[in-house]
Structures are given as C-alpha cells and as structure tokens.
mmCIF file of all heavy atoms in Angstrom:
data_model
loop_
_atom_site.group_PDB
_atom_site.id
_atom_site.type_symbol
_atom_site.label_atom_id
_atom_site.label_comp_id
_atom_site.label_asym_id
_atom_site.label_seq_id
_atom_site.Cartn_x
_atom_site.Cartn_y
_atom_site.Cartn_z
ATOM 1 N N VAL A 1076 87.633 97.686 120.591
ATOM 2 C CA VAL A 1076 88.162 99.040 120.416
ATOM 3 C C VAL A 1076 87.068 99.908 119.802
ATOM 4 O O VAL A 1076 86.352 99.476 118.899
ATOM 5 C CB VAL A 1076 89.403 99.039 119.488
ATOM 6 C CG1 VAL A 1076 89.947 100.447 119.319
ATOM 7 C CG2 VAL A 1076 90.480 98.105 120.009
ATOM 8 N N GLY A 1077 86.935 101.125 120.292
ATOM 9 C CA GLY A 1077 85.977 102.074 119.729
ATOM 10 C C GLY A 1077 86.632 103.438 119.568
ATOM 11 O O GLY A 1077 87.502 103.811 120.361
ATOM 12 N N GLY A 1078 86.238 104.142 118.536
ATOM 13 C CA GLY A 1078 86.825 105.456 118.305
ATOM 14 C C GLY A 1078 85.833 106.441 117.718
ATOM 15 O O GLY A 1078 84.845 106.051 117.079
ATOM 16 N N TYR A 1079 86.095 107.720 117.976
ATOM 17 C CA TYR A 1079 85.271 108.802 117.448
ATOM 18 C C TYR A 1079 86.169 110.003 117.169
ATOM 19 O O TYR A 1079 87.029 110.346 117.982
ATOM 20 C CB TYR A 1079 84.192 109.198 118.456
ATOM 21 C CG TYR A 1079 83.452 110.462 118.072
ATOM 22 C CD1 TYR A 1079 82.458 110.428 117.104
ATOM 23 C CD2 TYR A 1079 83.771 111.680 118.647
ATOM 24 C CE1 TYR A 1079 81.784 111.578 116.731
ATOM 25 C CE2 TYR A 1079 83.098 112.840 118.282
ATOM 26 C CZ TYR A 1079 82.114 112.775 117.327
ATOM 27 O OH TYR A 1079 81.453 113.930 116.944
ATOM 28 N N THR A 1080 85.968 110.619 116.012
ATOM 29 C CA THR A 1080 86.685 111.839 115.656
ATOM 30 C C THR A 1080 85.707 112.812 115.021
ATOM 31 O O THR A 1080 84.906 112.428 114.167
ATOM 32 C CB THR A 1080 87.817 111.550 114.644
ATOM 33 O OG1 THR A 1080 88.678 110.570 115.191
ATOM 34 C CG2 THR A 1080 88.602 112.803 114.331
ATOM 35 N N ASN A 1081 85.776 114.073 115.422
ATOM 36 C CA ASN A 1081 84.961 115.135 114.835
ATOM 37 C C ASN A 1081 85.900 116.111 114.130
ATOM 38 O O ASN A 1081 86.865 116.579 114.728
ATOM 39 C CB ASN A 1081 84.169 115.857 115.927
ATOM 40 C CG ASN A 1081 83.238 116.896 115.368
ATOM 41 O OD1 ASN A 1081 83.153 117.090 114.159
ATOM 42 N ND2 ASN A 1081 82.528 117.567 116.231
ATOM 43 N N SER A 1082 85.632 116.389 112.866
ATOM 44 C CA SER A 1082 86.480 117.296 112.091
ATOM 45 C C SER A 1082 85.645 118.448 111.554
ATOM 46 O O SER A 1082 84.657 118.230 110.845
ATOM 47 C CB SER A 1082 87.131 116.557 110.916
ATOM 48 O OG SER A 1082 87.914 115.481 111.391
ATOM 49 N N ASP A 1083 86.038 119.673 111.878
ATOM 50 C CA ASP A 1083 85.424 120.886 111.336
ATOM 51 C C ASP A 1083 86.475 121.585 110.482
ATOM 52 O O ASP A 1083 87.513 122.006 110.997
ATOM 53 C CB ASP A 1083 84.965 121.830 112.454
ATOM 54 C CG ASP A 1083 83.807 121.257 113.244
ATOM 55 O OD1 ASP A 1083 82.958 120.599 112.633
ATOM 56 O OD2 ASP A 1083 83.766 121.468 114.468
ATOM 57 N N TYR A 1084 86.214 121.696 109.190
ATOM 58 C CA TYR A 1084 87.182 122.276 108.264
ATOM 59 C C TYR A 1084 86.970 123.783 108.151
ATOM 60 O O TYR A 1084 85.846 124.269 108.195
ATOM 61 C CB TYR A 1084 87.064 121.593 106.898
ATOM 62 C CG TYR A 1084 87.398 120.117 106.979
ATOM 63 C CD1 TYR A 1084 86.428 119.177 107.308
ATOM 64 C CD2 TYR A 1084 88.689 119.681 106.785
ATOM 65 C CE1 TYR A 1084 86.738 117.832 107.412
ATOM 66 C CE2 TYR A 1084 89.015 118.340 106.876
ATOM 67 C CZ TYR A 1084 88.034 117.420 107.196
ATOM 68 O OH TYR A 1084 88.343 116.083 107.301
ATOM 69 N N GLU A 1085 88.059 124.530 107.990
ATOM 70 C CA GLU A 1085 88.000 125.996 108.038
ATOM 71 C C GLU A 1085 87.588 126.654 106.726
ATOM 72 O O GLU A 1085 86.992 127.714 106.737
ATOM 73 C CB GLU A 1085 89.354 126.545 108.487
ATOM 74 C CG GLU A 1085 89.680 126.180 109.920
ATOM 75 C CD GLU A 1085 91.009 126.756 110.371
ATOM 76 O OE1 GLU A 1085 91.658 127.491 109.596
ATOM 77 O OE2 GLU A 1085 91.400 126.468 111.505
ATOM 78 N N GLY A 1086 87.913 126.059 105.596
ATOM 79 C CA GLY A 1086 87.615 126.699 104.319
ATOM 80 C C GLY A 1086 86.376 126.137 103.662
ATOM 81 O O GLY A 1086 85.920 125.045 103.986
ATOM 82 N N PRO A 1087 85.787 126.871 102.733
ATOM 83 C CA PRO A 1087 84.617 126.373 101.995
ATOM 84 C C PRO A 1087 84.955 125.097 101.230
ATOM 85 O O PRO A 1087 86.065 124.938 100.740
ATOM 86 C CB PRO A 1087 84.268 127.508 101.038
ATOM 87 C CG PRO A 1087 84.938 128.714 101.601
ATOM 88 C CD PRO A 1087 86.149 128.229 102.340
ATOM 89 N N GLU A 1088 84.001 124.224 101.129
ATOM 90 C CA GLU A 1088 84.189 122.945 100.457
ATOM 91 C C GLU A 1088 83.886 123.083 98.968
ATOM 92 O O GLU A 1088 82.774 123.449 98.589
ATOM 93 C CB GLU A 1088 83.278 121.893 101.097
ATOM 94 C CG GLU A 1088 83.327 120.538 100.470
ATOM 95 C CD GLU A 1088 84.737 119.966 100.397
ATOM 96 O OE1 GLU A 1088 85.487 120.064 101.378
ATOM 97 O OE2 GLU A 1088 85.069 119.428 99.336
ATOM 98 N N PRO A 1089 84.847 122.792 98.080
ATOM 99 C CA PRO A 1089 84.641 122.992 96.640
ATOM 100 C C PRO A 1089 83.575 122.099 96.005
ATOM 101 O O PRO A 1089 82.975 122.481 95.019
ATOM 102 C CB PRO A 1089 86.009 122.723 96.022
ATOM 103 C CG PRO A 1089 86.833 122.087 97.061
ATOM 104 C CD PRO A 1089 86.199 122.354 98.389
ATOM 105 N N VAL A 1090 83.311 120.906 96.564
ATOM 106 C CA VAL A 1090 82.297 120.030 95.955
ATOM 107 C C VAL A 1090 80.930 120.189 96.607
ATOM 108 O O VAL A 1090 79.995 119.489 96.258
ATOM 109 C CB VAL A 1090 82.725 118.543 96.005
ATOM 110 C CG1 VAL A 1090 83.984 118.313 95.214
ATOM 111 C CG2 VAL A 1090 82.862 118.059 97.428
ATOM 112 N N ALA A 1091 80.811 121.075 97.568
ATOM 113 C CA ALA A 1091 79.531 121.293 98.243
ATOM 114 C C ALA A 1091 78.576 122.060 97.343
ATOM 115 O O ALA A 1091 79.003 122.825 96.483
ATOM 116 C CB ALA A 1091 79.749 122.061 99.538
ATOM 117 N N PRO A 1092 77.277 121.876 97.542
ATOM 118 C CA PRO A 1092 76.286 122.581 96.720
ATOM 119 C C PRO A 1092 76.407 124.091 96.811
ATOM 120 O O PRO A 1092 76.154 124.795 95.850
ATOM 121 C CB PRO A 1092 74.950 122.114 97.289
ATOM 122 C CG PRO A 1092 75.250 120.887 98.068
ATOM 123 C CD PRO A 1092 76.678 120.966 98.484
ATOM 124 N N SER A 1093 76.807 124.594 97.952
ATOM 125 C CA SER A 1093 76.938 126.040 98.132
ATOM 126 C C SER A 1093 78.384 126.364 98.468
ATOM 127 O O SER A 1093 79.034 125.673 99.239
ATOM 128 C CB SER A 1093 76.026 126.499 99.287
ATOM 129 O OG SER A 1093 76.384 127.800 99.677
ATOM 130 N N ALA A 1094 78.911 127.423 97.902
ATOM 131 C CA ALA A 1094 80.302 127.821 98.152
ATOM 132 C C ALA A 1094 80.513 128.227 99.611
ATOM 133 O O ALA A 1094 81.639 128.301 100.078
ATOM 134 C CB ALA A 1094 80.689 128.957 97.222
ATOM 135 N N ASP A 1095 79.433 128.502 100.329
ATOM 136 C CA ASP A 1095 79.546 128.902 101.735
ATOM 137 C C ASP A 1095 79.517 127.709 102.700
ATOM 138 O O ASP A 1095 79.563 127.899 103.907
ATOM 139 C CB ASP A 1095 78.405 129.859 102.096
ATOM 140 C CG ASP A 1095 78.490 131.160 101.312
ATOM 141 O OD1 ASP A 1095 79.613 131.541 100.949
ATOM 142 O OD2 ASP A 1095 77.437 131.764 101.082
ATOM 143 N N THR A 1096 79.427 126.499 102.159
ATOM 144 C CA THR A 1096 79.349 125.310 103.014
ATOM 145 C C THR A 1096 80.734 124.946 103.540
ATOM 146 O O THR A 1096 81.677 124.798 102.779
ATOM 147 C CB THR A 1096 78.763 124.121 102.233
ATOM 148 O OG1 THR A 1096 77.459 124.469 101.786
ATOM 149 C CG2 THR A 1096 78.688 122.882 103.093
ATOM 150 N N TYR A 1097 80.832 124.793 104.831
ATOM 151 C CA TYR A 1097 82.057 124.342 105.464
ATOM 152 C C TYR A 1097 81.869 122.883 105.864
ATOM 153 O O TYR A 1097 80.881 122.536 106.500
ATOM 154 C CB TYR A 1097 82.385 125.192 106.700
ATOM 155 C CG TYR A 1097 82.799 126.586 106.344
ATOM 156 C CD1 TYR A 1097 81.865 127.568 106.055
ATOM 157 C CD2 TYR A 1097 84.144 126.917 106.274
ATOM 158 C CE1 TYR A 1097 82.249 128.847 105.709
ATOM 159 C CE2 TYR A 1097 84.549 128.204 105.935
ATOM 160 C CZ TYR A 1097 83.595 129.167 105.654
ATOM 161 O OH TYR A 1097 83.982 130.435 105.305
ATOM 162 N N LYS A 1098 82.809 122.052 105.459
ATOM 163 C CA LYS A 1098 82.685 120.613 105.669
ATOM 164 C C LYS A 1098 82.845 120.264 107.150
ATOM 165 O O LYS A 1098 83.722 120.768 107.837
ATOM 166 C CB LYS A 1098 83.748 119.884 104.849
ATOM 167 C CG LYS A 1098 83.644 118.397 104.887
ATOM 168 C CD LYS A 1098 84.670 117.783 103.939
ATOM 169 C CE LYS A 1098 84.814 116.316 104.238
ATOM 170 N NZ LYS A 1098 86.153 115.836 104.129
ATOM 171 N N GLN A 1099 81.967 119.363 107.621
ATOM 172 C CA GLN A 1099 82.033 118.831 108.982
ATOM 173 C C GLN A 1099 81.859 117.320 108.892
ATOM 174 O O GLN A 1099 80.917 116.844 108.259
ATOM 175 C CB GLN A 1099 80.938 119.424 109.861
ATOM 176 C CG GLN A 1099 81.060 120.914 110.060
ATOM 177 C CD GLN A 1099 79.881 121.467 110.848
ATOM 178 O OE1 GLN A 1099 78.787 120.948 110.768
ATOM 179 N NE2 GLN A 1099 80.138 122.522 111.596
ATOM 180 N N ASP A 1100 82.769 116.585 109.511
ATOM 181 C CA ASP A 1100 82.728 115.123 109.489
ATOM 182 C C ASP A 1100 82.706 114.564 110.895
ATOM 183 O O ASP A 1100 83.304 115.134 111.816
ATOM 184 C CB ASP A 1100 83.964 114.546 108.792
ATOM 185 C CG ASP A 1100 83.961 114.752 107.290
ATOM 186 O OD1 ASP A 1100 82.918 115.131 106.739
ATOM 187 O OD2 ASP A 1100 85.014 114.530 106.670
ATOM 188 N N GLU A 1101 82.032 113.435 111.048
ATOM 189 C CA GLU A 1101 82.108 112.612 112.251
ATOM 190 C C GLU A 1101 82.532 111.223 111.797
ATOM 191 O O GLU A 1101 81.887 110.626 110.939
ATOM 192 C CB GLU A 1101 80.756 112.518 112.954
ATOM 193 C CG GLU A 1101 80.331 113.767 113.644
ATOM 194 C CD GLU A 1101 79.045 113.562 114.438
ATOM 195 O OE1 GLU A 1101 78.576 112.413 114.550
ATOM 196 O OE2 GLU A 1101 78.517 114.562 114.933
ATOM 197 N N PHE A 1102 83.619 110.719 112.349
ATOM 198 C CA PHE A 1102 84.126 109.396 111.997
ATOM 199 C C PHE A 1102 84.011 108.483 113.207
ATOM 200 O O PHE A 1102 84.519 108.795 114.281
ATOM 201 C CB PHE A 1102 85.591 109.490 111.545
ATOM 202 C CG PHE A 1102 86.174 108.170 111.161
ATOM 203 C CD1 PHE A 1102 85.895 107.615 109.923
ATOM 204 C CD2 PHE A 1102 86.993 107.470 112.033
ATOM 205 C CE1 PHE A 1102 86.422 106.385 109.554
ATOM 206 C CE2 PHE A 1102 87.528 106.251 111.683
ATOM 207 C CZ PHE A 1102 87.237 105.711 110.446
ATOM 208 N N TRP A 1103 83.313 107.364 113.024
ATOM 209 C CA TRP A 1103 83.105 106.369 114.078
ATOM 210 C C TRP A 1103 83.788 105.070 113.665
ATOM 211 O O TRP A 1103 83.758 104.697 112.490
ATOM 212 C CB TRP A 1103 81.624 106.089 114.265
ATOM 213 C CG TRP A 1103 80.841 107.252 114.773
ATOM 214 C CD1 TRP A 1103 80.266 108.251 114.025
ATOM 215 C CD2 TRP A 1103 80.554 107.560 116.127
ATOM 216 N NE1 TRP A 1103 79.636 109.149 114.843
ATOM 217 C CE2 TRP A 1103 79.798 108.752 116.152
ATOM 218 C CE3 TRP A 1103 80.865 106.943 117.338
ATOM 219 C CZ2 TRP A 1103 79.344 109.330 117.323
ATOM 220 C CZ3 TRP A 1103 80.406 107.512 118.503
ATOM 221 C CH2 TRP A 1103 79.655 108.697 118.490
ATOM 222 N N SER A 1104 84.397 104.384 114.626
ATOM 223 C CA SER A 1104 84.990 103.086 114.321
ATOM 224 C C SER A 1104 84.783 102.128 115.486
ATOM 225 O O SER A 1104 84.730 102.532 116.654
ATOM 226 C CB SER A 1104 86.486 103.222 114.028
ATOM 227 O OG SER A 1104 87.179 103.669 115.169
ATOM 228 N N ALA A 1105 84.649 100.854 115.156
ATOM 229 C CA ALA A 1105 84.524 99.787 116.152
ATOM 230 C C ALA A 1105 85.316 98.588 115.644
ATOM 231 O O ALA A 1105 85.275 98.260 114.453
ATOM 232 C CB ALA A 1105 83.068 99.409 116.364
ATOM 233 N N GLU A 1106 86.066 97.972 116.546
ATOM 234 C CA GLU A 1106 86.871 96.807 116.193
ATOM 235 C C GLU A 1106 86.676 95.719 117.252
ATOM 236 O O GLU A 1106 86.653 96.008 118.445
ATOM 237 C CB GLU A 1106 88.356 97.173 116.127
ATOM 238 C CG GLU A 1106 88.661 98.282 115.160
ATOM 239 C CD GLU A 1106 90.112 98.731 115.221
ATOM 240 O OE1 GLU A 1106 90.977 97.950 115.681
ATOM 241 O OE2 GLU A 1106 90.388 99.865 114.831
ATOM 242 N N PHE A 1107 86.550 94.483 116.778
ATOM 243 C CA PHE A 1107 86.429 93.328 117.652
ATOM 244 C C PHE A 1107 87.433 92.286 117.182
ATOM 245 O O PHE A 1107 87.532 92.034 115.983
ATOM 246 C CB PHE A 1107 85.017 92.740 117.595
ATOM 247 C CG PHE A 1107 83.946 93.750 117.902
ATOM 248 C CD1 PHE A 1107 83.294 94.421 116.881
ATOM 249 C CD2 PHE A 1107 83.611 94.036 119.219
ATOM 250 C CE1 PHE A 1107 82.315 95.366 117.157
ATOM 251 C CE2 PHE A 1107 82.640 94.976 119.508
ATOM 252 C CZ PHE A 1107 81.994 95.644 118.482
ATOM 253 N N ALA A 1108 88.179 91.700 118.107
ATOM 254 C CA ALA A 1108 89.173 90.690 117.738
ATOM 255 C C ALA A 1108 89.144 89.547 118.741
ATOM 256 O O ALA A 1108 88.924 89.753 119.932
ATOM 257 C CB ALA A 1108 90.556 91.308 117.677
ATOM 258 N N LEU A 1109 89.397 88.352 118.222
ATOM 259 C CA LEU A 1109 89.486 87.165 119.046
ATOM 260 C C LEU A 1109 90.678 86.353 118.549
ATOM 261 O O LEU A 1109 90.790 86.083 117.350
ATOM 262 C CB LEU A 1109 88.196 86.340 118.954
ATOM 263 C CG LEU A 1109 88.071 85.161 119.888
ATOM 264 C CD1 LEU A 1109 88.139 85.605 121.353
ATOM 265 C CD2 LEU A 1109 86.768 84.432 119.625
ATOM 266 N N GLN A 1110 91.566 86.013 119.478
ATOM 267 C CA GLN A 1110 92.794 85.302 119.112
ATOM 268 C C GLN A 1110 92.909 84.018 119.918
ATOM 269 O O GLN A 1110 92.569 83.983 121.105
ATOM 270 C CB GLN A 1110 94.002 86.194 119.382
ATOM 271 C CG GLN A 1110 95.329 85.549 119.047
ATOM 272 C CD GLN A 1110 96.481 86.513 119.172
ATOM 273 O OE1 GLN A 1110 96.402 87.625 118.665
ATOM 274 N NE2 GLN A 1110 97.543 86.119 119.840
ATOM 275 N N TYR A 1111 93.417 82.970 119.251
ATOM 276 C CA TYR A 1111 93.633 81.691 119.910
ATOM 277 C C TYR A 1111 95.077 81.275 119.694
ATOM 278 O O TYR A 1111 95.571 81.257 118.561
ATOM 279 C CB TYR A 1111 92.679 80.627 119.359
ATOM 280 C CG TYR A 1111 92.819 79.302 120.052
ATOM 281 C CD1 TYR A 1111 92.324 79.116 121.344
ATOM 282 C CD2 TYR A 1111 93.455 78.236 119.432
ATOM 283 C CE1 TYR A 1111 92.448 77.905 121.995
ATOM 284 C CE2 TYR A 1111 93.584 77.019 120.070
ATOM 285 C CZ TYR A 1111 93.091 76.861 121.349
ATOM 286 O OH TYR A 1111 93.222 75.661 121.995
ATOM 287 N N GLN A 1112 95.782 80.928 120.776
ATOM 288 C CA GLN A 1112 97.168 80.486 120.709
ATOM 289 C C GLN A 1112 97.185 78.990 120.425
ATOM 290 O O GLN A 1112 96.856 78.178 121.296
ATOM 291 C CB GLN A 1112 97.872 80.799 122.037
ATOM 292 C CG GLN A 1112 99.367 80.689 121.992
ATOM 293 C CD GLN A 1112 99.999 81.826 121.204
ATOM 294 O OE1 GLN A 1112 99.547 82.962 121.260
ATOM 295 N NE2 GLN A 1112 101.032 81.511 120.457
ATOM 296 N N LEU A 1113 97.554 78.612 119.197
ATOM 297 C CA LEU A 1113 97.544 77.207 118.790
ATOM 298 C C LEU A 1113 98.674 76.418 119.453
ATOM 299 O O LEU A 1113 98.458 75.331 119.993
ATOM 300 C CB LEU A 1113 97.662 77.098 117.273
ATOM 301 C CG LEU A 1113 96.520 77.723 116.475
ATOM 302 C CD1 LEU A 1113 96.896 77.841 115.008
ATOM 303 C CD2 LEU A 1113 95.269 76.886 116.630
ATOM 304 N N THR A 1114 99.888 76.928 119.353
ATOM 305 C CA THR A 1114 101.077 76.334 119.956
ATOM 306 C C THR A 1114 101.898 77.454 120.568
ATOM 307 O O THR A 1114 101.459 78.615 120.581
ATOM 308 C CB THR A 1114 101.932 75.589 118.899
ATOM 309 O OG1 THR A 1114 102.445 76.547 117.964
ATOM 310 C CG2 THR A 1114 101.126 74.527 118.167
ATOM 311 N N LYS A 1115 103.098 77.129 121.019
ATOM 312 C CA LYS A 1115 103.954 78.145 121.625
ATOM 313 C C LYS A 1115 104.212 79.320 120.666
ATOM 314 O O LYS A 1115 104.242 80.465 121.078
ATOM 315 C CB LYS A 1115 105.289 77.520 122.043
ATOM 316 C CG LYS A 1115 106.195 78.461 122.775
ATOM 317 C CD LYS A 1115 107.455 77.767 123.220
ATOM 318 C CE LYS A 1115 108.367 78.746 123.940
ATOM 319 N NZ LYS A 1115 109.616 78.110 124.368
ATOM 320 N N GLY A 1116 104.383 79.059 119.380
ATOM 321 C CA GLY A 1116 104.695 80.121 118.420
ATOM 322 C C GLY A 1116 103.540 80.525 117.509
ATOM 323 O O GLY A 1116 103.502 81.643 117.014
ATOM 324 N N TRP A 1117 102.598 79.624 117.247
ATOM 325 C CA TRP A 1117 101.533 79.880 116.280
ATOM 326 C C TRP A 1117 100.247 80.358 116.950
ATOM 327 O O TRP A 1117 99.829 79.820 117.968
ATOM 328 C CB TRP A 1117 101.212 78.624 115.484
ATOM 329 C CG TRP A 1117 102.240 78.297 114.464
ATOM 330 C CD1 TRP A 1117 103.229 77.362 114.575
ATOM 331 C CD2 TRP A 1117 102.396 78.886 113.180
ATOM 332 N NE1 TRP A 1117 103.990 77.340 113.441
ATOM 333 C CE2 TRP A 1117 103.503 78.266 112.555
ATOM 334 C CE3 TRP A 1117 101.711 79.884 112.496
ATOM 335 C CZ2 TRP A 1117 103.932 78.610 111.285
ATOM 336 C CZ3 TRP A 1117 102.135 80.229 111.217
ATOM 337 C CH2 TRP A 1117 103.227 79.598 110.629
ATOM 338 N N SER A 1118 99.626 81.365 116.324
ATOM 339 C CA SER A 1118 98.312 81.834 116.772
ATOM 340 C C SER A 1118 97.450 82.161 115.559
ATOM 341 O O SER A 1118 97.955 82.428 114.469
ATOM 342 C CB SER A 1118 98.440 83.065 117.678
ATOM 343 O OG SER A 1118 98.993 84.145 116.965
ATOM 344 N N VAL A 1119 96.143 82.120 115.754
ATOM 345 C CA VAL A 1119 95.191 82.515 114.718
ATOM 346 C C VAL A 1119 94.297 83.605 115.320
ATOM 347 O O VAL A 1119 93.960 83.553 116.500
ATOM 348 C CB VAL A 1119 94.376 81.299 114.201
ATOM 349 C CG1 VAL A 1119 93.524 80.692 115.290
ATOM 350 C CG2 VAL A 1119 93.532 81.673 113.000
ATOM 351 N N ARG A 1120 93.978 84.597 114.500
ATOM 352 C CA ARG A 1120 93.238 85.764 114.985
ATOM 353 C C ARG A 1120 92.174 86.155 113.963
ATOM 354 O O ARG A 1120 92.448 86.272 112.773
ATOM 355 C CB ARG A 1120 94.215 86.916 115.199
ATOM 356 C CG ARG A 1120 93.598 88.208 115.681
ATOM 357 C CD ARG A 1120 94.707 89.265 115.850
ATOM 358 N NE ARG A 1120 94.191 90.553 116.223
ATOM 359 C CZ ARG A 1120 94.101 91.006 117.465
ATOM 360 N NH1 ARG A 1120 94.490 90.247 118.472
ATOM 361 N NH2 ARG A 1120 93.628 92.208 117.715
ATOM 362 N N GLY A 1121 90.965 86.381 114.444
ATOM 363 C CA GLY A 1121 89.886 86.889 113.610
ATOM 364 C C GLY A 1121 89.557 88.309 114.051
ATOM 365 O O GLY A 1121 89.543 88.611 115.253
ATOM 366 N N GLU A 1122 89.316 89.194 113.079
ATOM 367 C CA GLU A 1122 89.002 90.590 113.389
ATOM 368 C C GLU A 1122 87.816 91.070 112.550
ATOM 369 O O GLU A 1122 87.665 90.669 111.402
ATOM 370 C CB GLU A 1122 90.189 91.506 113.079
ATOM 371 C CG GLU A 1122 91.417 91.226 113.894
ATOM 372 C CD GLU A 1122 92.565 92.164 113.562
ATOM 373 O OE1 GLU A 1122 92.344 93.225 112.940
ATOM 374 O OE2 GLU A 1122 93.708 91.832 113.928
#
C-alpha cells in the first residue's frame, strides 16, 4: 500500500519563524504485509 497527501493551510502558522508563513505539508506512507494461514481459523501476519 502506498499513499500521498498534500496539505496547504489557509491561515498563518503560529509556530513559524515569520507570521506570514503558511504551512504546507506532504505526507507519504508505505505499507508492506505478509500473512500465512496456519490452520483453518489461525493466521499470522507481519506488517
């Protein structure tokens, strides 16, 4: 699984060095999973 989100905020950021700075974020994510079915009901999964 892979994901990307871009966020542009409308108001000035209070913790930014300049009061005129508008916060912009890029969030990236990656997920890998492998599952093994041990028996009819039991499984183990690593992520």
Side-chain angles (χ1 to χ4, degrees):
V1076 180
Y1079 170 78
T1080 304
N1081 184 1
S1082 301
D1083 292 324
Y1084 297 87
E1085 293 181 3
E1088 178 55 44
V1090 298
S1093 166
D1095 296 332
T1096 300
Y1097 290 81
K1098 185 175 165 218
Q1099 296 175 329
D1100 288 348
E1101 288 186 7
F1102 180 79
W1103 295 87
S1104 64
E1106 303 174 22
F1107 305 96
L1109 187 60
Q1110 180 173 312
Y1111 183 74
Q1112 194 72 37
L1113 298 167
T1114 65
K1115 185 177 179 181
W1117 285 100
S1118 64
V1119 63
R1120 179 180 176 95
E1122 297 180 17

